[in-house]
Amino acid sequence: MNLSFSGKTALFCGGNCELALALAPLVIAEGIRPVLSCRSEAAREHIVQCLNEYSGAFDTCFMDFDSPSSLTAAFSALDNNLDYLVDFVQGDYENLVAAADPDKTGRYMAAHVAARADMLKRAARIMMHRRFGRLVFVSSAAAGRPNPGQGFYAAAKLAAEAMYKNLALELGSKGLSTVTLRPGYVEAGRGKPYIEKNREALLRQIPSRSFVSTHDLASTLLFLLSDQARHLNATEITMDGGLSAGKQRL
Amino acid sequence: MTTPLLNRIITVLSDILDLDPATITADSYLIRDLNAESIDLLEIAVTLNSEFKTDIDDDAIFLKNLRIYLNEAGESQDDKRAYLAEKYPFLDQARIRDMVADLEAGPVLKVRDLASYIQARVADHE
């Protein structure tokens, strides 16, 4: 299938993660210029190194949800050019709800809910002025089926999903559409060590008997950005090989 | 009140609200007369931001916290006017007096209030 893309510029929030770095070459091949956000100079160097062969076809910017003022500089640098947004940002905060430190919880929610809302406001205002915007939120199957210790992770993901969904409801008439992807076990990032440790037991739980690869996920994200996926709007799609569809297998 | 700035704002409003610009004046009420809804206000803010190259504080330009400020202010009319003047420095005394007297009739936001806000923002940048 030939995919088409109406836009030219994409912002990847959390652009130094493995998935963003896998998606970047795919969008570049489609004529889209990705701007990959990161939180440190070391992360920026990592992006530049990983995308070395695409030099000149992408940009980086500094954006830190823990530092909302960084959003102003990042969006100013975009100069009102923004057609796509892919949101990979998710800090790690595993804790039992009844054991969590309230201050830490507050900071986590401030970064992942309040700062994300600020980021979405800025992106949406650029996009509605351009009468086009496609936003993809990379959530997690854990948003709907968290493990013990993932309560705050799931709460932040669900809050973000709600914001993305409402953006589509509120600004659909202005050309914006959004979709949330909930991957299951992905052999990348923080999930990788967990998968390596529990590989066989996890595979028995997944009807497709396979984990989601970085390439599979990046390709799916590319499709979700395309014009052909525009009717997948204001909704969540689970990509977990069927893991969450049935009861847990013993 | 007819100024180039006001005319630019009226052009923006007529485009977004799909109205004949001749029917919009400085004294038109955005919500009561022009039937602007929340989504329209958002688009107006985004377009004014682009048109005048200045950041727009939606809460301020659309007087969204007016009722909250009135509750926070003292009981007397003088207290209310003084408090609103502090919160909305871009509005002059005469306009604030009119607004306080007009509250019973519904949302008081007028086209001239947008012009006052933009004028103050542009002056800040100069």
Side-chain angles (χ1 to χ4, degrees):
Chain A
M1 180 170 69
N2 291 324
L3 299 177
S4 57
F5 297 85
S6 294
K8 289 288 176 197
T9 306
L11 173 63
F12 292 178
C13 297
N16 64 319
C17 71
E18 211 173 321
L19 292 170
L21 293 168
L23 179 60
L26 302 185
V27 301
I28 289 169
E30 299 293 344
I32 297 167
R33 187 176 187 86
V35 180
L36 295 92
S37 86
C38 54
R39 300 195 299 167
S40 67
E41 181 55 27
R44 196 191 73 79
E45 285 172 8
H46 176 65
I47 292 170
V48 171
Q49 191 178 14
C50 289
L51 299 179
N52 185 37
E53 63 182 290
Y54 305 98
S55 177
F58 69 92
D59 292 303
T60 60
C61 70
F62 179 74
M63 187 192 293
D64 187 351
F65 279 12
D66 287 319
S67 166
S69 62
S70 69
L71 295 174
T72 303
F75 276 89
S76 176
L78 285 170
D79 197 24
N80 291 322
N81 289 313
L82 184 61
D83 304 303
Y84 301 104
L85 187 146
V86 187
D87 184 353
F88 295 97
V89 173
Q90 191 66 48
D92 197 12
Y93 179 42
E94 285 216 6
N95 215 325
L96 300 176
V97 172
D101 174 72
D103 289 338
K104 266 190 194 171
T105 305
R107 286 196 296 276
Y108 185 76
M109 290 302 174
H112 291 86
V113 181
R116 177 171 268 125
D118 187 5
M119 182 275 291
L120 285 175
K121 175 182 174 182
R122 292 167 191 269
R125 289 169 88 104
I126 293 174
M127 289 170 166
M128 67 181 288
H129 190 60
R130 295 163 67 84
R131 287 289 190 272
F132 177 80
R134 177 67 168 164
L135 303 96
V136 180
F137 176 54
V138 182
S139 182
S140 165
R145 296 169 61 99
N147 287 324
Q150 288 188 306
F152 299 111
Y153 177 85
K157 287 289 195 190
L158 288 169
E161 289 184 6
M163 290 190 284
Y164 276 87
K165 179 177 283 186
N166 258 67
L167 259 190
L169 294 176
E170 292 159 4
L171 298 180
S173 64
K174 310 299 177 194
L176 272 71
S177 64
T178 73
V179 66
T180 285
L181 184 64
R182 289 180 170 185
Y185 289 112
V186 183
E187 289 198 278
R190 285 195 292 270
K192 208 168 184 175
Y194 184 76
I195 286 174
E196 282 167 3
K197 192 176 166 190
N198 303 284
R199 180 171 293 274
E200 294 310 316
L202 290 173
L203 282 175
R204 280 196 298 275
Q205 305 286 328
I206 303 172
S208 66
R209 297 292 187 267
S210 60
F211 300 110
V212 180
S213 72
T214 304
H215 177 72
D216 289 340
L217 192 44
S219 302
T220 302
L221 289 170
L222 182 72
F223 168 69
L224 291 177
L225 288 172
S226 73
D227 297 343
Q228 285 68 30
R230 67 189 183 281
H231 295 298
L232 293 168
N233 187 27
T235 192
E236 300 86 34
I237 299 167
T238 301
M239 182 182 180
D240 66 356
L243 171 69
S244 57
K247 289 182 178 175
Q248 193 173 16
R249 292 165 184 77
L250 297 174
Chain B
M1 184 188 192
T2 307
T3 64
L5 184 143
L6 179 67
N7 287 336
R8 285 166 72 188
I9 291 174
I10 288 174
T11 301
V12 167
L13 295 176
S14 66
D15 283 349
I16 292 171
L17 301 172
D18 199 20
L19 294 169
D20 179 352
T23 64
I24 305 174
T25 71
D27 281 316
S28 300
Y29 291 100
L30 262 84
I31 294 158
R32 280 196 242 168
D33 294 338
L34 307 183
N35 297 318
E37 297 181 352
S38 57
I39 185 76
D40 299 319
L41 297 183
L42 171 57
E43 189 163 16
I44 290 165
V46 168
T47 308
L48 292 177
N49 168 230
S50 172
E51 174 77 16
F52 293 99
K53 308 284 182 255
T54 186
D55 287 338
I56 305 287
D57 178 341
D58 295 25
D59 286 354
I61 193 173
F62 300 127
L63 313 178
K64 286 186 177 178
N65 295 328
L66 180 67
R67 306 273 167 180
I68 295 169
Y69 294 152
L70 287 167
N71 284 335
E72 290 173 355
E75 286 297 314
S76 77
Q77 294 293 302
D78 283 348
D79 287 343
K80 291 186 190 305
R81 285 195 289 265
Y83 197 64
L84 290 183
E86 181 189 325
K87 295 295 182 185
Y88 297 121
F90 56 92
L91 297 177
D92 62 31
Q93 291 291 334
R95 176 66 188 122
I96 287 176
R97 192 175 54 245
D98 288 348
M99 277 170 41
V100 172
D102 191 26
L103 289 166
E104 294 295 319
V108 297
L109 181 68
K110 286 185 172 182
V111 173
R112 66 169 60 250
D113 302 328
L114 308 190
S116 298
Y117 178 87
I118 296 290
Q119 202 160 30
R121 292 290 300 163
V122 171
D124 285 347
H125 290 303
E126 288 172 352

